[in-house]
């Protein structure tokens, strides 16, 4: 059975979880139906020191444990295709969710049905990662850079989705040596009727990613290009744009890889664009994320930096929209399927000038430093 779900936990890039596969019915050629329970047990203990919001200082626990169920089937009348399915829960606590916990219900994370073919590749329908976000999330958000690189920034509208329902996604097999593509499209965040958007029927997205990987005795390298377009997203801030609509285009380019001596790297550059016809407004925000790793014996050292270079509106720079984070991490592989880690991240997050009416309603955190330790065990 081929592996068909992407790991986003700390050790994902350099360790593979063992699968406890249970055959439900066997044939002469092997298991006809297979399924397995898998999951992640993860706990992070973090201390945050905020620049201004001192009432939020102190120790917090971040419980990222989750559970999933997945399987395959070989249908009698579709011998050349493998049927895929998966149901995965969300984290117990998402971003320090408090006493009520996070969105930990089954189906919160990747949950889909699909088919896989030796020559066609893999096609999935349901709730999956978008092609561009799969690269934004890993490797360029770790260690602990999400407040700037992932969900940070100031661009209007919805510059990219992360995990999106009502999606169809096609992951090709190798089209030529080392080259693959991911192509997807789906409903936008307003399509499910959760908002009163007057353009819900035209709120959808599409995107793709291309990957070229090369390998040798020296190590490996992968070059990535990705794009996503979102149409007619309702603005839900309380500023002047509230109730209007945005179209967004986001481009991503970069590389990741590693050498046989234990040195690894990643470097990505992102261009986010947004336009609002009501205000004849064009926005742009550029960002980057870079990192180095060094793996030796049972240890891995990592240093990374991400930065939002500032919001530009109709060709004019907007004050106090530049953010950056620098993070260092030391990780110990206590087992094939378990890691211990210690991390320190310095988040410098600007707040938009109050004179720029309409922008202050966009989500921004206070600047903070965070020291944390954690454990992750996946099965």
């Amino acid at each position: 059975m081929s592996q068909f779900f992407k790991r986003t936990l700390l050790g994902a890039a350099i360790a593979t979880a063992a699968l406890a596969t249970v055959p439900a019915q066997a044939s002469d050629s092997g298991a006809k139906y297979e399924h397995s329970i898998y999951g992640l047990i993860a706990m992070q203990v973090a201390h945050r020191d905020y620049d201004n919001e001192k009432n939020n200082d102190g120790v917090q626990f971040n419980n990222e444990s989750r559970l999933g169920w997945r399987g395959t089937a070989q249908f009698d009348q579709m011998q050349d295709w493998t049927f895929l399915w998966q149901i995965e829960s969300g984290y117990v606590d998402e971003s320090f969710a408090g006493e009520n916990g996070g969105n930990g219900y089954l189906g919160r994370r990747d949950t889909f049905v699909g088919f896989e073919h030796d020559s066609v590749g893999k096609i999935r329908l349901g709730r999956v990662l978008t092609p561009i976000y799969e690269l934004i999330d890993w490797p360029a958000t770790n260690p602990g850079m999400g407040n700037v690189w992932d969900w940070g920034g100031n661009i209007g509208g919805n510059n990219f989705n992360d995990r999106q329902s009502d999606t169809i996604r096609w992951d090709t097999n190798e089209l030529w040596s080392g080259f693959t593509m991911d192509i997807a499209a789906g409903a936008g965040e307003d399509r499910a009727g959760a908002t009163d958007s007057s353009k819900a029927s035209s709120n959808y997205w599409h995107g793709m990613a291309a990957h070229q990987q090369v390998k040798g005795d020296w190590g490996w390298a992968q070059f990535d290009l990705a794009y996503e377009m979102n149409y007619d997203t309702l603005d839900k801030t309380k500023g002047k744009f509230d109730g209007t609509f945005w179209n967004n285009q986001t481009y991503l380019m970069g590389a990741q890889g590693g050498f046989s001596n234990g040195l690894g790297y990643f470097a990505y550059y992102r261009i986010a664009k947004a336009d609002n016809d009501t205000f004849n407004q064009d926005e742009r925000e550029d960002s980057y994320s870079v990192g180095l790793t060094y793996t030796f014996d049972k240890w891995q050292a990592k240093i990374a930096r991400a930065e939002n270079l500032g919001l530009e509106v109709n060709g004019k720079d907007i004050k106090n929209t530049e953010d950056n984070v620098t993070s260092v991490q030391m990780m110990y592989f206590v087992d094939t399927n378990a890691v211990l880690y210690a991390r320190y991240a310095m988040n410098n997050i600007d707040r938009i000038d109050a004179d720029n009416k309409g922008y202050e309603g966009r989500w921004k955190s206070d600047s903070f430093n965070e020291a944390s330790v954690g454990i992750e065990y996946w099965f």
Side-chain angles (χ1 to χ4, degrees):
M1 180 179 66
S2 62
Q3 179 180 347
F4 58 87
F5 100 103
K6 177 182 179 294
R7 306 178 188 281
T8 56
L9 48 125
L10 279 173
I14 46 180
T16 303
L19 298 181
T21 303
V22 182
Q25 178 177 332
S27 64
D28 292 338
S29 60
K32 182 176 180 180
Y33 311 123
E34 295 182 330
H35 60 89
S36 62
I37 301 294
Y38 67 94
L40 169 69
I41 306 301
M43 179 65 73
Q44 179 192 34
V45 181
H47 182 278
R48 287 188 175 182
D49 181 14
Y50 286 88
D51 281 5
N52 300 297
E53 299 173 0
K54 292 299 184 180
N55 55 306
N56 290 324
D57 286 357
V59 175
Q60 297 170 301
F61 290 178
N62 189 20
N63 188 346
E64 292 187 329
S65 299
R66 56 180 169 83
L67 190 67
W69 189 23
R70 63 185 179 182
T72 64
Q74 296 293 144
F75 294 146
D76 292 339
Q77 307 307 318
M78 301 182 68
Q79 290 297 313
D80 293 334
W81 294 83
T82 299
F83 178 67
L84 314 173
W85 59 268
Q86 179 171 302
I87 305 172
E88 187 173 318
S89 73
Y91 290 143
V92 174
D93 279 321
E94 291 188 298
S95 298
F96 311 113
E99 65 174 322
N100 294 323
N103 296 304
Y105 54 82
L106 278 174
R108 172 65 177 173
R109 289 173 63 85
D110 287 19
T111 299
F112 56 82
V113 298
F115 289 92
E116 188 170 21
H117 189 278
D118 286 343
S119 59
V120 175
K122 180 170 56 184
I123 300 171
R124 290 172 289 168
L125 294 89
R127 183 169 176 81
V128 295
L129 291 170
T130 71
I132 195 171
Y133 186 74
E134 195 161 20
L135 293 168
I136 290 171
D137 177 53
W138 186 271
T141 296
N142 184 269
M145 301 194 296
N147 284 276
V148 170
W149 169 251
D150 191 334
W151 55 84
N154 293 284
I155 199 79
N158 182 30
N159 55 337
F160 56 84
N161 299 286
D162 46 25
R163 186 172 276 105
Q164 192 72 353
S165 297
D166 305 316
T167 290
I168 180 169
R169 173 169 164 162
W170 173 32
D171 299 347
T172 72
N173 287 338
E174 280 192 340
L175 299 177
W176 59 76
S177 180
F179 182 79
T180 59
M181 295 185 68
D182 314 315
I183 303 169
E189 61 184 47
D190 300 330
R191 288 292 298 271
T195 71
D196 57 358
S197 170
S198 62
K199 294 187 177 182
S201 62
S202 60
N203 176 230
Y204 63 96
W205 67 274
H206 58 78
M208 62 184 300
H211 319 279
Q212 178 65 59
Q213 189 172 108
V214 293
K215 296 180 181 180
D217 294 339
W218 51 271
W220 68 280
Q222 179 173 301
F223 303 93
D224 301 304
L225 292 173
Y227 169 79
E228 184 171 310
M229 175 77 195
N230 280 269
Y231 299 92
D232 290 331
T233 300
L234 178 66
D235 192 292
K236 306 174 186 67
T237 67
K238 296 181 180 179
K240 69 179 182 181
F241 303 106
D242 186 23
T244 61
F245 296 89
W246 294 90
N247 292 322
N248 294 82
Q249 298 185 75
T250 303
Y251 306 83
L252 183 75
M253 62 203 77
Q256 57 180 301
F259 299 99
S260 56
N261 62 3
L263 185 66
Y265 62 89
F266 64 83
Y268 288 91
Y269 194 87
R270 184 174 69 217
I271 301 172
K273 295 184 176 182
D275 67 82
N276 187 305
D277 290 340
T278 303
F279 288 87
N280 294 317
Q281 179 145 314
D282 293 320
E283 299 186 357
R284 173 170 171 160
E285 185 174 47
D286 290 17
S287 309
Y288 72 84
S289 179
V290 296
L292 288 173
T293 63
Y294 181 60
T295 303
F296 56 101
D297 193 22
K298 301 294 184 180
W299 295 87
Q300 184 188 79
K302 193 170 193 176
I303 182 169
R305 180 177 174 86
E307 185 171 1
N308 296 319
L309 300 176
L311 182 66
E312 181 183 291
V313 175
N314 294 334
K316 178 183 178 181
D317 293 334
I318 302 300
K319 295 180 181 179
N320 301 323
T321 58
E322 298 178 2
D323 312 312
N324 66 77
V325 56
T326 302
S327 181
V328 293
Q329 177 178 279
M330 181 64 74
M331 187 164 61
Y332 178 64
F333 298 94
V334 68
D335 186 81
T336 305
N337 285 27
V339 295
L340 301 171
Y341 65 91
R343 178 190 301 163
Y344 190 76
M346 296 167 286
N347 291 267
N348 298 305
I349 300 175
D350 278 349
R351 296 189 178 236
I352 299 177
D353 195 318
D355 292 336
N356 293 308
K357 301 299 183 184
Y359 304 105
E360 63 271 24
R362 299 180 185 179
W363 181 88
K364 297 292 286 186
S365 171
D366 185 20
S367 296
F368 66 94
N369 295 334
E370 180 182 270
S372 66
V373 294
I375 183 171
E376 296 196 3
Y377 160 62
W378 57 99
F379 57 90

